[in-house]
Amino acid sequence: MIKPYLAIAKKSFQNNLAYRADYYAGLINTLILIFVNIAIWKAIYGEDGSYDGVQLKIVLTYIVLGFLMQSFFIMDDYFIQNKITNGLISTDLLKPISFRLLVFSYSIGASGFKIIMNLVPAIIISLLFFEFLPPFSVSMFILFILSLCLGYLVLYCLNFIVWLTAFWFYQTFSLVTIKDALIAVLSGALIPLWFMPTWLYNFIKLTPFDSIYYIPITIYLGQTPSNEIMTCLLKQVLWIVLLTVIGHFIWKAATKKLVVQGG
């Protein structure tokens, strides 16, 4: 039964190939953001090379990794909304496949395109022109890749919940904007969470946000103690399970609403 979903992922990948301008724009945008943020952090650090006990090279590597991750963590926030708006959602629900897996396969295909066409060139350029520390160790790099995949799934599950609100609100731009702003600030994508006030940092650790970017990056940098890594990975898994369960109940409510409106 996996064949239809592989075909959907392949189709999504091919669809992205058709938009060459978007590919170049995405790559250039990622590199510009990295360059600008590196300049900002260098200005903050000044000549000392250390701020609040954290070395500049560590922060710069964190920032570069954050933007590289964002380059392929981007998902189509309006895929479900567009399906509802144009009425294709009804046809999709009649197909002998899971609509939720259809959406996931579509996202995986798009991310696969971004990994090959955006991430790989961005990594090469970053290694050549930006200060980029290697992984703390080989084992940490392997754990980083695992945590990276889990972070992607946490983000997807969180996104899916927001996407489903289209069944009630039809236009989800405002909710998506709020969601993106919260993720950008609270996930550590833009600012390392160790610079946050203690009370805010402790609050964020109770949410799924730090599981998206902060945990994978700190594992890469060796900033997470070895005896805490498995706890962090387990935390990511638990958030995936919890958000999936929440998404399941919202999906059930959404399909009932669709049936009622459709008669």
Side-chain angles (χ1 to χ4, degrees), residues 59-172:
V59 173
L60 295 185
T61 301
Y62 184 106
I63 296 301
V64 172
L65 271 176
F67 280 108
L68 290 176
M69 289 172 63
Q70 289 179 69
S71 70
F72 71 94
F73 271 29
I74 297 173
M75 303 176 193
D76 186 352
D77 285 315
Y78 303 102
F79 181 74
I80 292 180
Q81 176 184 298
N82 291 336
K83 289 279 187 180
I84 295 172
T85 302
N86 58 30
L88 291 177
I89 183 71
S90 300
T91 304
D92 287 329
L93 291 176
L94 292 175
K95 295 177 180 177
I97 58 175
S98 167
F99 179 77
R100 285 177 287 179
L101 289 179
L102 181 155
V103 177
F104 180 69
S105 300
Y106 178 87
S107 296
I108 288 294
S111 295
F113 170 84
K114 292 181 176 67
I115 289 173
I116 296 174
M117 305 302 290
N118 282 12
L119 180 62
V120 173
I123 288 177
I124 294 172
I125 295 173
S126 296
L127 290 173
L128 292 175
F129 297 101
F130 303 130
E131 298 184 50
F132 195 82
L133 293 174
F136 185 75
S137 67
V138 175
S139 60
M140 287 296 182
F141 181 71
I142 295 173
L143 291 170
F144 160 71
I145 295 299
L146 175 58
S147 182
L148 177 72
C149 295
L150 293 175
Y152 178 90
L153 292 176
V154 172
L155 177 61
Y156 174 81
C157 293
L158 191 60
N159 278 337
F160 186 72
I161 291 172
V162 176
W163 298 342
L164 289 179
T165 61
F167 281 91
W168 288 271
F169 299 111
Y170 306 111
Q171 296 297 324
T172 59

Side-chain angles (χ1 to χ4, degrees), residues 4-20:
Y5 305 109
L6 291 175
I8 293 169
K10 181 180 178 182
K11 182 67 174 178
S12 175
F13 185 96
Q14 292 172 337
N15 287 344
N16 279 273
L17 281 174
Y19 299 99
R20 301 288 179 87

Side-chain angles (χ1 to χ4, degrees), residues 33-48:
L33 287 173
I34 291 175
F35 177 81
V36 169
N37 277 270
I38 284 178
I40 292 173
W41 281 102
K42 283 186 175 180
I44 292 173
Y45 268 73
E47 299 296 329
D48 296 334

